[in-house]
Amino acid sequence: MMKSFPLFAVLRGRRVVIAGGGEEAVRKAALFGRAKADLVVVAADIDRAAFEAAGVQARFVARDAEPEDFAGAFIVVVADAGDAYAEALARTARAAGALVNVVDRPALCDFTTPSIVDRGDVVVAISTNGTAPVLGAKLRAVVEAAAPPRLGALAAFAGSFRDAVAAAVPKASRRRFWTTFFRGPI
């Protein structure tokens, strides 16, 4: 039975707040930064060198998170926080209308971050609902090995012809057309 619904959200330009300044915060910021989110990192102690080394572009606020930090946030990630502080931040962020992820505390999460295989326009997400992240990473390795590196380029190429195919191939035949197109060697 599916416990959570897999969803791909467009984050480009949307506010994502990372409450934390250490290693876990860096990992999450790098992940959300790849999706071009408008990142804000808030923590009293921020390891800026680690964020820079990971290529994270964000606005840094060097103090403990406050309720106004979560205003307008689509997503809030709480990282590197003790239990009571993490719970308080999660409640505050949720009250501001954000979806919340508390690193390594699935019971406090509105969503979990999956293991991701990124091939450009082809993205595969693998989730264990936070119960077995190492298993998710193992499955990701299997998918990484099976997915050709240029799979995303193939998808982009096909995407560039979608309108032309829609104009030339009757709707009832399009699925068969694309099935035949992708049946050959990649």
mmCIF file of all heavy atoms in Angstrom, residues 3 19 24 36 88-89 176 179-180:
data_model
loop_
_atom_site.group_PDB
_atom_site.id
_atom_site.type_symbol
_atom_site.label_atom_id
_atom_site.label_comp_id
_atom_site.label_asym_id
_atom_site.label_seq_id
_atom_site.Cartn_x
_atom_site.Cartn_y
_atom_site.Cartn_z
ATOM 1 N N LYS A 3 2.091 4.695 0.977
ATOM 2 C CA LYS A 3 1.897 5.564 2.143
ATOM 3 C C LYS A 3 2.031 7.032 1.798
ATOM 4 O O LYS A 3 1.559 7.884 2.540
ATOM 5 C CB LYS A 3 2.912 5.212 3.226
ATOM 6 C CG LYS A 3 2.676 3.870 3.854
ATOM 7 C CD LYS A 3 3.687 3.625 4.942
ATOM 8 C CE LYS A 3 3.474 2.275 5.579
ATOM 9 N NZ LYS A 3 4.477 2.013 6.606
ATOM 10 N N ALA A 19 16.615 25.396 7.521
ATOM 11 C CA ALA A 19 16.913 25.808 8.890
ATOM 12 C C ALA A 19 18.005 24.888 9.410
ATOM 13 O O ALA A 19 17.743 23.761 9.825
ATOM 14 C CB ALA A 19 15.660 25.739 9.755
ATOM 15 N N GLU A 24 24.125 18.246 7.110
ATOM 16 C CA GLU A 24 22.817 17.842 6.576
ATOM 17 C C GLU A 24 22.167 18.996 5.813
ATOM 18 O O GLU A 24 21.548 18.795 4.766
ATOM 19 C CB GLU A 24 21.886 17.361 7.695
ATOM 20 C CG GLU A 24 22.315 16.052 8.330
ATOM 21 C CD GLU A 24 22.217 14.871 7.381
ATOM 22 O OE1 GLU A 24 21.470 14.943 6.379
ATOM 23 O OE2 GLU A 24 22.893 13.868 7.634
ATOM 24 N N LYS A 36 16.731 24.733 -8.821
ATOM 25 C CA LYS A 36 16.661 26.197 -9.007
ATOM 26 C C LYS A 36 15.704 26.880 -8.042
ATOM 27 O O LYS A 36 15.098 27.897 -8.370
ATOM 28 C CB LYS A 36 16.306 26.566 -10.457
ATOM 29 C CG LYS A 36 17.229 25.960 -11.491
ATOM 30 C CD LYS A 36 18.650 26.409 -11.291
ATOM 31 C CE LYS A 36 19.540 25.857 -12.396
ATOM 32 N NZ LYS A 36 20.908 25.665 -11.995
ATOM 33 N N ALA A 88 9.674 22.333 17.212
ATOM 34 C CA ALA A 88 9.161 23.707 17.264
ATOM 35 C C ALA A 88 9.273 24.373 15.894
ATOM 36 O O ALA A 88 8.327 25.041 15.438
ATOM 37 C CB ALA A 88 9.923 24.516 18.311
ATOM 38 N N LEU A 89 10.404 24.193 15.219
ATOM 39 C CA LEU A 89 10.564 24.780 13.880
ATOM 40 C C LEU A 89 9.564 24.183 12.903
ATOM 41 O O LEU A 89 8.982 24.897 12.081
ATOM 42 C CB LEU A 89 11.991 24.580 13.364
ATOM 43 C CG LEU A 89 13.087 25.402 14.027
ATOM 44 C CD1 LEU A 89 14.453 25.014 13.463
ATOM 45 C CD2 LEU A 89 12.842 26.895 13.843
ATOM 46 N N ARG A 176 1.218 4.656 -29.946
ATOM 47 C CA ARG A 176 1.891 3.623 -30.744
ATOM 48 C C ARG A 176 3.125 4.213 -31.428
ATOM 49 O O ARG A 176 4.188 3.586 -31.468
ATOM 50 C CB ARG A 176 0.929 3.031 -31.776
ATOM 51 C CG ARG A 176 1.497 1.834 -32.502
ATOM 52 C CD ARG A 176 0.446 1.058 -33.307
ATOM 53 N NE ARG A 176 -0.801 1.754 -33.534
ATOM 54 C CZ ARG A 176 -1.177 2.254 -34.721
ATOM 55 N NH1 ARG A 176 -0.416 2.108 -35.773
ATOM 56 N NH2 ARG A 176 -2.326 2.874 -34.851
ATOM 57 N N THR A 179 5.792 4.645 -28.768
ATOM 58 C CA THR A 179 6.266 3.327 -28.338
ATOM 59 C C THR A 179 7.258 2.776 -29.349
ATOM 60 O O THR A 179 8.326 2.266 -28.987
ATOM 61 C CB THR A 179 5.085 2.357 -28.151
ATOM 62 O OG1 THR A 179 4.222 2.897 -27.144
ATOM 63 C CG2 THR A 179 5.546 0.968 -27.751
ATOM 64 N N THR A 180 6.938 2.900 -30.623
ATOM 65 C CA THR A 180 7.846 2.449 -31.681
ATOM 66 C C THR A 180 9.135 3.279 -31.673
ATOM 67 O O THR A 180 10.231 2.734 -31.807
ATOM 68 C CB THR A 180 7.156 2.550 -33.056
ATOM 69 O OG1 THR A 180 5.965 1.766 -33.017
ATOM 70 C CG2 THR A 180 8.059 2.063 -34.168
#
